Amino acid sequence: MSDISTLPMYMRRAQFDPVPELAEVREKEGITRVTTSFGIEAWMVTRYADSRAVLGDAERFSSARQTFFQPPGASEEEIAALRAGNLLAFDPPEHTRLRRFLTPEFTIRRMRRLEPRIKDIVEQHLDAMEQAGSPVDLVQSFALPIPSLVICELLGVPYEDRADFQRRTGRLLDVSLPMDERFKLQLESRAYMTDLVTRIQADPGEELLGMLVREHGDDLTTNELIGIGNLLLIAGHETTSNMLGLGTLALLRQPDQLELLLKEPERIDAAVEELMRWLSILHASLARVCTKETEIAGQTIKPGEVVVCSLPLANRDPAFMQDAEGLDITRGAPGHLAFGHGVHHCLGAPLARMEMRIAFPALFQRFPKLRAVTPVADFRSFHLVYGVASLEVAW
Protein backbone atom coordinates (compact mmCIF):
# COMPACT_ATOMS: atom_id res chain seq x y z
CA MET A 1 0.00 0.00 0.00
CA SER A 2 1.85 3.10 -1.20
CA ASP A 3 -0.65 5.35 -3.02
CA ILE A 4 -1.27 8.39 -0.82
CA SER A 5 -4.64 8.91 -2.51
CA THR A 6 -5.86 6.00 -0.35
CA LEU A 7 -5.02 7.97 2.79
CA PRO A 8 -7.46 10.12 4.75
CA MET A 9 -7.32 13.54 3.10
CA TYR A 10 -5.66 15.24 6.08
CA MET A 11 -2.73 12.76 5.99
CA ARG A 12 -1.70 13.45 2.41
CA ARG A 13 1.66 15.18 2.05
CA ALA A 14 4.22 15.83 -0.63
CA GLN A 15 7.41 15.36 1.41
CA PHE A 16 7.33 18.25 3.94
CA ASP A 17 4.20 19.92 2.62
CA PRO A 18 0.47 19.19 2.73
CA VAL A 19 -0.66 18.34 -0.82
CA PRO A 20 -1.88 21.39 -2.81
CA GLU A 21 -5.56 20.35 -2.78
CA LEU A 22 -5.53 20.62 1.02
CA ALA A 23 -4.35 24.22 0.90
CA GLU A 24 -7.14 24.86 -1.61
CA VAL A 25 -9.71 23.69 0.95
CA ARG A 26 -8.26 26.10 3.51
CA GLU A 27 -8.32 29.02 1.07
CA LYS A 28 -11.81 28.36 -0.31
CA GLU A 29 -14.23 26.53 2.00
CA GLY A 30 -12.14 26.29 5.18
CA ILE A 31 -13.88 23.04 6.11
CA THR A 32 -14.80 19.82 4.29
CA ARG A 33 -16.01 16.26 4.86
CA VAL A 34 -13.37 13.54 5.18
CA THR A 35 -13.13 9.88 6.14
CA THR A 36 -10.79 9.43 9.10
CA SER A 37 -8.15 6.75 9.64
CA PHE A 38 -10.75 4.92 11.75
CA GLY A 39 -13.16 4.81 8.83
CA ILE A 40 -15.67 7.34 10.19
CA GLU A 41 -17.00 10.48 8.54
CA ALA A 42 -15.86 13.80 10.00
CA TRP A 43 -15.55 17.51 9.32
CA MET A 44 -11.94 18.59 8.66
CA VAL A 45 -11.17 22.09 9.96
CA THR A 46 -8.25 23.72 8.14
CA ARG A 47 -7.80 27.32 9.33
CA TYR A 48 -5.73 28.44 12.30
CA ALA A 49 -8.38 30.50 14.10
CA ASP A 50 -11.07 27.85 13.63
CA SER A 51 -8.74 25.05 14.78
CA ARG A 52 -7.70 27.00 17.84
CA ALA A 53 -11.35 27.60 18.69
CA VAL A 54 -12.22 23.90 18.38
CA LEU A 55 -9.22 22.73 20.39
CA GLY A 56 -9.87 25.32 23.08
CA ASP A 57 -13.52 24.37 23.64
CA ALA A 58 -13.70 21.00 25.40
CA GLU A 59 -17.31 21.61 26.35
CA ARG A 60 -18.56 22.02 22.78
CA PHE A 61 -16.09 19.58 21.20
CA SER A 62 -15.81 16.52 23.42
CA SER A 63 -12.98 14.00 23.59
CA ALA A 64 -14.88 11.77 26.01
CA ARG A 65 -17.68 11.01 23.55
CA GLN A 66 -15.43 9.47 20.93
CA THR A 67 -15.85 5.72 20.44
CA PHE A 68 -13.62 5.22 17.42
CA PHE A 69 -10.78 2.98 18.59
CA GLN A 70 -12.55 0.26 20.52
CA PRO A 71 -12.15 -3.46 19.86
CA PRO A 72 -15.28 -4.88 18.20
CA GLY A 73 -17.47 -6.89 20.54
CA ALA A 74 -15.88 -5.46 23.70
CA SER A 75 -18.20 -5.11 26.68
CA GLU A 76 -18.78 -1.78 28.41
CA GLU A 77 -16.55 -2.93 31.27
CA GLU A 78 -13.73 -3.84 28.88
CA ILE A 79 -14.03 -0.51 27.06
CA ALA A 80 -13.99 1.38 30.37
CA ALA A 81 -10.83 -0.51 31.39
CA LEU A 82 -9.15 0.31 28.06
CA ARG A 83 -10.03 4.02 28.35
CA ALA A 84 -9.02 4.38 32.01
CA GLY A 85 -6.06 6.70 32.53
CA ASN A 86 -5.92 7.80 28.88
CA LEU A 87 -6.08 11.58 29.26
CA LEU A 88 -6.91 11.95 25.58
CA ALA A 89 -10.22 10.13 26.07
CA PHE A 90 -11.66 12.41 28.75
CA ASP A 91 -13.05 15.92 29.22
CA PRO A 92 -12.92 18.01 32.37
CA PRO A 93 -13.46 17.40 35.24
CA GLU A 94 -12.20 13.80 34.85
CA HIS A 95 -9.39 14.94 32.54
CA THR A 96 -8.44 17.62 35.07
CA ARG A 97 -8.28 15.04 37.87
CA LEU A 98 -5.93 12.75 35.92
CA ARG A 99 -3.70 15.54 34.63
CA ARG A 100 -3.32 17.00 38.13
CA PHE A 101 -1.37 13.89 39.21
CA LEU A 102 1.07 14.23 36.29
CA THR A 103 1.58 17.97 35.85
CA PRO A 104 4.20 18.33 38.65
CA GLU A 105 6.42 15.78 36.88
CA PHE A 106 6.45 17.76 33.63
CA THR A 107 7.16 21.28 34.84
CA ILE A 108 10.08 23.12 33.23
CA ARG A 109 11.86 23.13 36.61
CA ARG A 110 11.48 19.36 36.98
CA MET A 111 12.64 18.82 33.40
CA ARG A 112 15.85 20.76 34.15
CA ARG A 113 16.80 17.99 36.56
CA LEU A 114 16.80 15.64 33.57
CA GLU A 115 18.97 17.93 31.45
CA PRO A 116 22.40 16.50 32.46
CA ARG A 117 21.17 12.94 31.86
CA ILE A 118 19.71 13.85 28.45
CA LYS A 119 23.03 15.47 27.48
CA ASP A 120 24.85 12.29 28.51
CA ILE A 121 22.49 10.12 26.46
CA VAL A 122 22.91 12.35 23.39
CA GLU A 123 26.73 12.36 23.69
CA GLN A 124 26.83 8.56 24.10
CA HIS A 125 24.87 8.09 20.89
CA LEU A 126 27.03 10.58 19.01
CA ASP A 127 30.13 8.73 20.23
CA ALA A 128 28.66 5.45 18.97
CA MET A 129 27.89 7.02 15.58
CA GLU A 130 31.44 8.35 15.31
CA GLN A 131 32.93 4.97 16.23
CA ALA A 132 30.70 3.14 13.75
CA GLY A 133 31.77 5.51 10.99
CA SER A 134 29.66 6.89 8.18
CA PRO A 135 27.25 6.21 6.68
CA VAL A 136 24.70 5.40 9.39
CA ASP A 137 20.94 5.40 9.63
CA LEU A 138 20.26 8.48 11.75
CA VAL A 139 16.82 7.19 12.77
CA GLN A 140 18.11 3.94 14.24
CA SER A 141 21.33 5.35 15.70
CA PHE A 142 20.13 8.72 17.02
CA ALA A 143 16.56 9.94 16.48
CA LEU A 144 14.74 6.88 17.82
CA PRO A 145 16.94 5.61 20.69
CA ILE A 146 17.47 8.95 22.46
CA PRO A 147 13.82 9.77 23.29
CA SER A 148 13.15 6.06 23.86
CA LEU A 149 15.86 5.84 26.49
CA VAL A 150 14.72 9.10 28.14
CA ILE A 151 11.09 8.01 28.43
CA CYS A 152 12.14 4.53 29.59
CA GLU A 153 14.18 6.02 32.43
CA LEU A 154 11.46 8.52 33.29
CA LEU A 155 8.68 5.92 33.46
CA GLY A 156 10.68 2.96 34.76
CA VAL A 157 10.40 0.86 31.58
CA PRO A 158 13.33 -1.57 31.11
CA TYR A 159 15.30 -0.27 28.13
CA GLU A 160 15.90 -3.82 26.94
CA ASP A 161 12.17 -3.95 26.17
CA ARG A 162 12.45 -1.06 23.69
CA ALA A 163 12.58 -3.18 20.50
CA ASP A 164 9.24 -4.78 21.33
CA PHE A 165 7.40 -1.61 22.32
CA GLN A 166 8.84 0.31 19.36
CA ARG A 167 7.67 -2.43 16.99
CA ARG A 168 4.19 -2.48 18.55
CA THR A 169 3.84 1.29 18.54
CA GLY A 170 5.10 1.67 14.98
CA ARG A 171 2.51 -0.84 13.75
CA LEU A 172 -0.26 0.47 15.99
CA LEU A 173 0.07 3.90 14.32
CA ASP A 174 0.29 2.47 10.78
CA VAL A 175 -3.07 3.09 9.08
CA SER A 176 -2.20 0.72 6.22
CA LEU A 177 -2.74 -2.20 8.62
CA PRO A 178 -6.22 -3.69 9.06
CA MET A 179 -8.14 -2.37 12.05
CA ASP A 180 -8.35 -5.82 13.69
CA GLU A 181 -4.56 -6.06 13.68
CA ARG A 182 -4.25 -2.61 15.23
CA PHE A 183 -6.78 -3.59 17.91
CA LYS A 184 -4.67 -6.65 18.66
CA LEU A 185 -1.56 -4.50 19.01
CA GLN A 186 -3.46 -2.17 21.35
CA LEU A 187 -4.28 -5.12 23.60
CA GLU A 188 -0.65 -6.34 23.45
CA SER A 189 0.57 -2.89 24.55
CA ARG A 190 -1.88 -2.94 27.41
CA ALA A 191 -0.79 -6.44 28.48
CA TYR A 192 2.84 -5.28 28.56
CA MET A 193 2.02 -2.21 30.66
CA THR A 194 -0.19 -4.30 32.98
CA ASP A 195 2.78 -6.51 33.80
CA LEU A 196 5.06 -3.50 34.34
CA VAL A 197 2.59 -1.68 36.60
CA THR A 198 2.06 -4.85 38.67
CA ARG A 199 5.81 -5.09 39.25
CA ILE A 200 6.12 -1.38 40.14
CA GLN A 201 3.17 -1.60 42.54
CA ALA A 202 5.01 -4.39 44.37
CA ASP A 203 8.23 -2.37 44.58
CA PRO A 204 7.80 1.32 43.59
CA GLY A 205 11.05 3.11 42.84
CA GLU A 206 11.91 6.70 41.93
CA GLU A 207 10.49 6.44 38.39
CA LEU A 208 7.33 8.35 37.45
CA LEU A 209 5.05 5.31 37.72
CA GLY A 210 6.60 4.48 41.09
CA MET A 211 5.94 8.03 42.26
CA LEU A 212 2.30 7.73 41.21
CA VAL A 213 1.98 4.47 43.15
CA ARG A 214 3.62 5.92 46.27
CA GLU A 215 1.95 9.32 46.33
CA HIS A 216 -1.39 8.67 44.63
CA GLY A 217 -1.93 4.94 45.01
CA ASP A 218 -5.25 5.53 46.77
CA ASP A 219 -6.44 7.99 44.11
CA LEU A 220 -5.57 6.06 40.94
CA THR A 221 -6.85 2.61 40.02
CA THR A 222 -4.57 0.00 38.52
CA ASN A 223 -6.34 0.45 35.16
CA GLU A 224 -5.66 4.18 35.32
CA LEU A 225 -1.96 3.59 36.04
CA ILE A 226 -1.82 1.22 33.06
CA GLY A 227 -3.54 3.78 30.80
CA ILE A 228 -1.24 6.60 31.93
CA GLY A 229 1.86 4.46 31.40
CA ASN A 230 0.72 3.34 27.95
CA LEU A 231 -0.05 6.87 26.77
CA LEU A 232 3.22 8.35 28.03
CA LEU A 233 5.33 5.51 26.62
CA ILE A 234 3.83 5.81 23.13
CA ALA A 235 3.72 9.61 23.03
CA GLY A 236 7.08 10.01 24.76
CA HIS A 237 9.17 8.33 22.08
CA GLU A 238 7.15 8.44 18.83
CA THR A 239 6.72 12.19 18.60
CA THR A 240 10.18 13.39 19.58
CA SER A 241 11.98 10.71 17.58
CA ASN A 242 10.11 11.70 14.43
CA MET A 243 10.84 15.38 15.06
CA LEU A 244 14.55 14.61 15.39
CA GLY A 245 14.65 12.59 12.18
CA LEU A 246 12.41 14.80 10.06
CA GLY A 247 13.80 18.00 11.57
CA THR A 248 17.37 16.98 10.69
CA LEU A 249 16.33 16.27 7.10
CA ALA A 250 14.52 19.62 6.91
CA LEU A 251 17.64 21.49 8.04
CA LEU A 252 19.86 19.52 5.64
CA ARG A 253 17.47 20.41 2.80
CA GLN A 254 17.54 24.12 3.79
CA PRO A 255 21.26 24.81 4.26
CA ASP A 256 20.74 28.55 4.75
CA GLN A 257 18.67 27.83 7.88
CA LEU A 258 21.20 25.28 9.14
CA GLU A 259 24.10 27.66 8.52
CA LEU A 260 22.32 30.37 10.50
CA LEU A 261 21.72 27.97 13.40
CA LEU A 262 25.38 26.87 13.41
CA LYS A 263 26.55 30.48 13.28
CA GLU A 264 24.08 31.65 15.95
CA PRO A 265 23.37 28.66 18.22
CA GLU A 266 21.44 30.88 20.62
CA ARG A 267 18.60 30.63 18.08
CA ILE A 268 17.94 26.99 18.98
CA ASP A 269 14.79 27.70 21.03
CA ALA A 270 13.19 29.62 18.16
CA ALA A 271 14.41 26.99 15.68
CA VAL A 272 12.72 24.17 17.61
CA GLU A 273 9.40 26.06 17.67
CA GLU A 274 9.58 26.84 13.97
CA LEU A 275 10.44 23.24 13.08
CA MET A 276 7.51 22.07 15.20
CA ARG A 277 5.19 24.46 13.34
CA TRP A 278 6.52 23.85 9.85
CA LEU A 279 6.66 20.07 10.10
CA SER A 280 3.53 19.50 12.26
CA ILE A 281 4.25 15.79 12.54
CA LEU A 282 0.77 15.07 13.91
CA HIS A 283 -1.43 15.20 10.82
CA ALA A 284 -4.51 16.10 12.81
CA SER A 285 -5.90 16.62 16.26
CA LEU A 286 -7.65 13.70 17.86
CA ALA A 287 -11.23 13.58 16.66
CA ARG A 288 -13.78 15.35 18.81
CA VAL A 289 -17.56 14.99 18.94
CA CYS A 290 -19.70 18.11 18.69
CA THR A 291 -22.06 18.43 21.67
CA LYS A 292 -24.20 21.41 20.60
CA GLU A 293 -24.99 22.95 17.24
CA THR A 294 -22.28 25.38 16.21
CA GLU A 295 -20.86 27.00 13.12
CA ILE A 296 -17.34 26.68 11.72
CA ALA A 297 -16.25 28.48 8.55
CA GLY A 298 -19.90 29.08 7.66
CA GLN A 299 -20.80 25.38 8.03
CA THR A 300 -23.33 24.22 10.63
CA ILE A 301 -21.96 21.36 12.73
CA LYS A 302 -24.67 19.31 14.43
CA PRO A 303 -24.50 17.50 17.78
CA GLY A 304 -22.96 14.06 17.37
CA GLU A 305 -20.93 15.00 14.30
CA VAL A 306 -17.17 14.47 14.41
CA VAL A 307 -14.55 17.19 13.91
CA VAL A 308 -10.80 16.90 13.25
CA CYS A 309 -8.36 19.80 12.86
CA SER A 310 -5.62 19.62 10.23
CA LEU A 311 -2.57 20.80 12.19
CA PRO A 312 -0.22 21.24 9.19
CA LEU A 313 -2.82 23.41 7.42
CA ALA A 314 -3.61 25.46 10.53
CA ASN A 315 0.07 26.03 11.28
CA ARG A 316 0.71 27.18 7.70
CA ASP A 317 -2.36 29.40 7.49
CA PRO A 318 -1.31 32.77 5.99
CA ALA A 319 -3.79 34.38 8.39
CA PHE A 320 -1.65 33.03 11.25
CA MET A 321 1.68 34.43 10.04
CA GLN A 322 3.38 35.90 6.99
CA ASP A 323 5.20 33.51 4.62
CA ALA A 324 3.73 30.61 6.58
CA GLU A 325 4.80 28.14 3.87
CA GLY A 326 8.46 28.94 4.49
CA LEU A 327 10.80 27.65 7.19
CA ASP A 328 12.32 30.60 9.08
CA ILE A 329 14.09 29.77 12.34
CA THR A 330 14.38 33.43 13.30
CA ARG A 331 10.71 33.89 14.17
CA GLY A 332 10.08 31.17 16.76
CA ALA A 333 6.46 30.59 15.63
CA PRO A 334 4.69 31.75 18.82
CA GLY A 335 1.20 30.28 19.12
CA HIS A 336 1.67 27.28 16.83
CA LEU A 337 -0.63 24.30 17.35
CA ALA A 338 1.90 21.49 16.95
CA PHE A 339 1.55 20.66 20.68
CA GLY A 340 -2.21 21.15 20.50
CA HIS A 341 -4.15 23.78 22.41
CA GLY A 342 -6.53 23.99 25.34
CA VAL A 343 -6.91 21.36 28.05
CA HIS A 344 -5.23 18.70 25.88
CA HIS A 345 -2.11 20.78 25.15
CA CYS A 346 0.75 18.26 25.17
CA LEU A 347 1.72 17.42 28.75
CA GLY A 348 5.21 16.38 27.66
CA ALA A 349 5.96 19.55 25.68
CA PRO A 350 8.68 20.75 28.11
CA LEU A 351 10.45 17.37 27.82
CA ALA A 352 10.18 17.27 24.02
CA ARG A 353 11.50 20.81 23.73
CA MET A 354 14.44 20.03 26.00
CA GLU A 355 15.38 16.90 24.06
CA MET A 356 15.34 18.80 20.76
CA ARG A 357 17.19 21.83 22.16
CA ILE A 358 19.98 19.50 23.26
CA ALA A 359 20.02 16.98 20.40
CA PHE A 360 19.95 19.19 17.28
CA PRO A 361 22.92 21.44 18.20
CA ALA A 362 24.94 18.49 19.52
CA LEU A 363 24.41 16.55 16.29
CA PHE A 364 25.49 19.39 14.00
CA GLN A 365 28.38 20.50 16.22
CA ARG A 366 29.76 16.95 16.23
CA PHE A 367 29.18 16.46 12.50
CA PRO A 368 29.23 19.92 10.83
CA LYS A 369 29.55 18.27 7.39
CA LEU A 370 26.54 16.01 7.94
CA ARG A 371 24.68 15.20 4.73
CA ALA A 372 21.92 12.90 3.57
CA VAL A 373 23.33 10.05 1.47
CA THR A 374 20.28 9.48 -0.73
CA PRO A 375 18.30 12.31 -2.36
CA VAL A 376 14.98 10.46 -1.89
CA ALA A 377 13.84 10.18 1.73
CA ASP A 378 11.78 7.32 3.13
CA PHE A 379 8.78 9.26 4.47
CA ARG A 380 6.31 7.50 6.81
CA SER A 381 3.23 8.53 4.86
CA PHE A 382 0.92 5.93 6.39
CA HIS A 383 1.69 6.66 10.03
CA LEU A 384 -0.41 8.82 12.32
CA VAL A 385 2.86 10.49 13.40
CA TYR A 386 4.68 11.73 10.30
CA GLY A 387 8.42 11.31 9.88
CA VAL A 388 11.07 9.34 8.04
CA ALA A 389 11.39 5.59 8.45
CA SER A 390 15.14 5.83 7.82
CA LEU A 391 17.66 8.53 7.02
CA GLU A 392 21.11 7.45 5.87
CA VAL A 393 23.65 10.15 6.62
CA ALA A 394 27.38 10.60 6.20
CA TRP A 395 29.93 13.20 7.31
Side-chain angles (χ1 to χ4, degrees):
M1 190 176 183
S2 57
D3 182 2
I4 67 165
S5 68
T6 63
L7 281 169
M9 190 176 184
Y10 54 81
M11 289 181 66
R12 297 175 197 169
R13 303 206 198 195
Q15 299 196 25
F16 298 108
D17 308 321
V19 293
E21 52 265 38
L22 278 169
E24 284 179 27
V25 172
R26 183 185 60 210
E27 303 316 312
K28 292 177 181 174
E29 303 91 357
I31 188 169
T32 192
R33 294 290 278 175
V34 295
T35 303
T36 74
S37 56
F38 300 109
I40 61 167
E41 293 298 306
W43 290 104
M44 178 182 71
V45 179
T46 63
R47 294 172 181 159
Y48 176 82
D50 292 333
S51 297
R52 189 177 168 91
V54 169
L55 298 177
D57 191 345
E59 187 177 334
R60 190 169 294 185
F61 299 99
S62 167
S63 298
R65 300 194 189 191
Q66 50 161 306
T67 57
F68 320 129
F69 202 43
Q70 296 174 357
S75 68
E76 284 190 23
E77 279 186 11
E78 289 169 328
I79 289 170
L82 285 171
R83 291 178 74 237
N86 181 354
L87 280 76
L88 303 179
F90 292 98
D91 299 325
E94 182 60 14
H95 172 272
T96 311
R97 181 185 78 86
L98 289 169
R99 188 156 174 142
R100 178 168 50 86
F101 299 127
L102 293 167
T103 300
E105 293 303 306
F106 287 94
T107 59
I108 294 171
R109 189 178 71 224
R110 191 71 60 96
M111 287 301 108
R112 286 200 183 114
R113 290 189 201 169
L114 288 173
E115 188 169 358
R117 179 61 184 138
I118 294 172
K119 286 181 175 177
D120 287 345
I121 290 170
V122 168
E123 289 302 318
Q124 287 164 13
H125 284 81
L126 291 172
D127 290 345
M129 281 175 60
E130 198 164 18
Q131 288 163 14
S134 68
V136 300
D137 179 1
L138 190 81
V139 172
Q140 293 302 320
S141 59
F142 187 79
L144 184 56
I146 289 169
S148 293
L149 183 51
V150 171
I151 199 65
C152 280
E153 292 192 1
L154 185 66
L155 286 178
V157 174
Y159 189 54
E160 57 269 24
D161 293 348
R162 70 192 182 283
D164 282 340
F165 76 66
Q166 286 168 358
R167 173 191 58 80
R168 278 194 302 271
T169 302
R171 293 178 66 76
L172 182 66
L173 300 175
D174 184 349
V175 302
S176 70
L177 294 180
M179 282 298 294
D180 58 350
E181 187 171 341
R182 290 161 68 197
F183 285 134
K184 185 181 172 196
L185 289 160
Q186 184 188 18
L187 295 175
E188 284 179 14
S189 296
R190 179 177 170 77
Y192 171 79
M193 191 55 66
T194 299
D195 180 62
L196 181 65
V197 165
T198 301
R199 281 185 275 142
I200 288 176
Q201 283 176 320
D203 184 21
E206 295 302 312
E207 65 283 303
L208 189 147
L209 288 174
M211 178 278 297
L212 290 175
V213 169
R214 285 197 318 275
E215 298 183 16
H216 305 292
D218 295 335
D219 304 308
L220 289 164
T221 67
T222 296
N223 279 332
E224 285 175 332
L225 287 166
I226 293 165
I228 289 169
N230 238 345
L231 176 63
L232 294 180
L233 181 59
I234 292 171
H237 79 273
E238 268 294 326
T239 49
T240 309
S241 69
N242 281 291
M243 270 303 304
L244 289 175
L246 197 62
T248 297
L249 181 61
L251 290 169
L252 291 175
R253 293 270 182 93
Q254 305 226 18
D256 59 323
Q257 297 294 299
L258 177 55
E259 184 181 355
L260 178 60
L261 183 59
L262 288 170
K263 195 180 296 181
E264 301 176 19
E266 65 275 11
R267 292 190 183 274
I268 185 58
D269 287 6
V272 164
E273 299 307 314
E274 175 68 350
L275 285 167
M276 288 290 305
R277 178 200 71 85
W278 194 69
L279 296 172
S280 293
I281 57 169
L282 289 177
H283 299 287
S285 66
L286 287 173
R288 285 162 167 78
V289 178
C290 184
T291 62
K292 57 183 76 170
E293 188 171 299
T294 188
E295 189 176 293
I296 302 174
Q299 174 65 51
T300 298
I301 312 296
K302 297 175 183 174
E305 292 189 319
V306 178
V307 176
V308 295
C309 300
S310 168
L311 300 180
L313 289 176
N315 278 330
R316 292 190 182 203
D317 187 346
F320 169 40
M321 62 169 56
Q322 284 188 321
D323 186 30
E325 288 296 327
L327 177 68
D328 178 0
I329 66 166
T330 65
R331 60 181 158 202
H336 69 75
L337 302 177
F339 283 121
H341 176 64
V343 298
H344 290 289
H345 182 271
C346 177
L347 179 71
L351 177 59
R353 284 183 167 113
M354 176 170 286
E355 289 178 282
M356 287 185 276
R357 283 201 304 258
I358 293 169
F360 281 128
L363 173 67
F364 289 111
Q365 284 164 13
R366 180 73 69 97
F367 304 114
K369 303 293 186 185
L370 195 76
R371 68 184 190 280
V373 172
T374 55
V376 180
D378 184 12
F379 290 97
R380 299 186 352 153
S381 298
F382 286 81
H383 282 70
L384 294 176
V385 182
Y386 195 55
V388 283
S390 61
L391 178 60
E392 196 172 14
V393 295
W395 52 87

